[in-house]
Amino acid sequence: MAKLHEYQSKALLKQVGIHLPKSQLVTDAESAREVAQELGAVVIKAQVWTTSRAAQGLIQFANTPDEAESIARDLLGSEVGNFIIEELLIE
């Protein structure tokens, strides 16, 4: 069984022509802000090997770049199970 993060599986889907929302992988809060400035309201998704990300608060919505940056600061570096959040998918 292959394990893929969400951003990896979406890249494969795009390669075969499936339309997906614009997204970008970030590793710092400032980049999350920049992506949100470009895209508008965004969903911020922690890229970690766990289930029930939404229930754990690992998928959050931001209406402004300031909100996106704040959420990214809170998520990045936090620990979930045996994993540290190092990457966020912003879309």
Side-chain angles (χ1 to χ4, degrees):
M1 178 170 90
K3 283 188 175 183
L4 297 174
H5 284 295
E6 182 178 2
Y7 75 92
Q8 294 168 319
S9 62
K10 286 185 174 189
L12 292 173
L13 292 171
K14 284 182 182 180
Q15 285 179 4
V16 296
I18 296 174
H19 177 73
L20 299 168
K22 289 184 180 180
S23 63
Q24 187 170 333
L25 188 70
V26 301
T27 57
D28 60 75
E30 293 79 16
S31 296
R33 169 189 261 294
E34 291 170 7
V35 174
Q37 284 176 328
E38 179 185 330
L39 299 180
V42 294
V43 181
I44 301 168
K45 301 176 176 183
Q47 300 297 287
V48 289
W49 300 116
T50 187
T51 58
S52 305
R53 287 182 298 160
Q56 295 183 66
L58 304 177
I59 298 175
Q60 298 187 35
F61 297 86
N63 292 314
T64 67
D66 286 340
E67 275 186 307
E69 182 176 15
S70 177
I71 291 167
R73 282 194 196 289
D74 289 343
L75 289 174
L76 288 167
S78 62
E79 191 172 329
V80 178
N82 295 325
F83 304 101
I84 295 177
I85 299 172
E86 298 176 345
E87 301 172 315
L88 302 172
L89 183 65
I90 313 294
E91 65 180 19

